[in-house]
Each structure stands twice: as structure tokens, then as C-alpha cells.
Amino acid sequence: MSDNIIVTTGIYDAIKDHLRRKKVSKNEENRLTGELRKAKQVLRRDLPSDVVTVDRKVTIKDHTQDFEHEYVFVSTTKAKPKKNKYSILSDIALATVGYKVGDVIEWPFKEGERKIEILKVETFKE
């Protein structure tokens, strides 16, 4: 499990703005605020390839609901959930952004606490 998440400055700022707009539950807000406080900010070119961020295809195992799913995380303007493209500010993206392959995360989703694991992270190109 990673001690600190790794995010680009752009993603860091987008999440901070999202929090200011009160777009998440109180539990998610508390968790994200704590994560951002300890986050390591890097330039996009310095971000490791196995870290969840925008324009990455991510395979997640949900241990609580016992299923695996692949998500493509994109900018908010390109999000099309019916085509499996989710905003980097969606609930599942916020829970995993900055984490890397192998990390297991217990996250306070709106519908309750869930334990998820990042199985695979790949670059996504349209």
C-alpha cells in the first residue's frame, strides 16, 4: 500500500476545486483532504506509468462487491460512462487517483465503505 498518493499538479488542483464546490460526501471530503495533504506532486512526464491518473485504463477488483471492472479515466469534458469513459473526478476515479498497481484501498463511497484493489494501469490513447 502506498503511503502517499502521487498526482500531477493539474489533477491536484482539479480535486481541490472539486472539494471546494462540495461535490463529494463529507466522508469522501475528509479522506481526500487528508490524502492531498500528504500527496506527492510531480510533473506529468515524471508520473510513474503504474499510477492512476487521467488518460489511463485501470482494472479494479472490488473485494466488497466481488467483481472486477475496467475503467478509462478521462478529463471531465470527455467523460462518456456508456462508453466506459469516466471523469477523473468521478467517485471511482477519486478513490483510486494517485494510487498504483497492487494498492488496496478502503474508500468511503456514498453507498458505504468498499475495499478495492488496483490490478492494472495502462496508458489510454484515443
Side-chain angles (χ1 to χ4, degrees):
M1 178 74 174
S2 302
D3 291 334
N4 301 328
I5 62 171
I6 304 169
V7 293
T8 62
T9 303
I11 296 296
Y12 180 92
D13 291 343
I15 294 171
K16 288 288 266 192
D17 186 56
H18 196 65
L19 288 170
R20 271 195 297 278
R21 295 170 189 254
K22 301 290 185 196
K23 300 280 189 179
V24 295
S25 71
K26 193 67 178 154
N27 286 340
E28 286 174 301
E29 179 183 353
N30 292 340
R31 178 69 183 267
L32 281 167
T33 301
E35 302 240 333
L36 289 178
R37 200 172 293 126
K38 301 181 299 186
K40 178 180 178 186
Q41 290 185 58
V42 298
L43 297 173
R44 177 102 176 140
R45 69 175 179 262
D46 297 331
L47 190 68
S49 61
D50 66 343
V51 170
V52 177
T53 191
V54 71
D55 295 329
R56 300 255 165 105
K57 184 172 25 170
V58 182
T59 306
I60 293 170
K61 164 93 174 154
D62 187 315
H63 291 279
T64 306
Q65 298 179 349
D66 196 31
F67 72 90
E68 273 183 34
H69 192 74
E70 194 175 84
Y71 300 88
V72 175
F73 296 137
V74 295
S75 66
T76 52
T77 57
K78 293 181 182 174
K80 291 183 176 67
K82 287 183 179 172
K83 292 189 174 183
N84 204 37
K85 293 180 183 173
Y86 293 84
S87 164
I88 195 65
L89 297 176
S90 65
D91 289 348
I92 190 69
L94 287 173
T96 57
V97 72
Y99 285 100
K100 67 182 185 328
V101 171
D103 284 342
V104 177
I105 307 146
E106 295 197 20
W107 193 260
F109 287 95
K110 289 178 180 78
E111 65 275 5
E113 185 91 14
R114 284 173 33 206
K115 183 176 174 180
I116 55 178
E117 179 179 357
I118 300 168
L119 300 178
K120 190 155 110 184
V121 177
E122 303 168 87
T123 300
F124 176 76
K125 298 257 194 258
E126 286 201 70

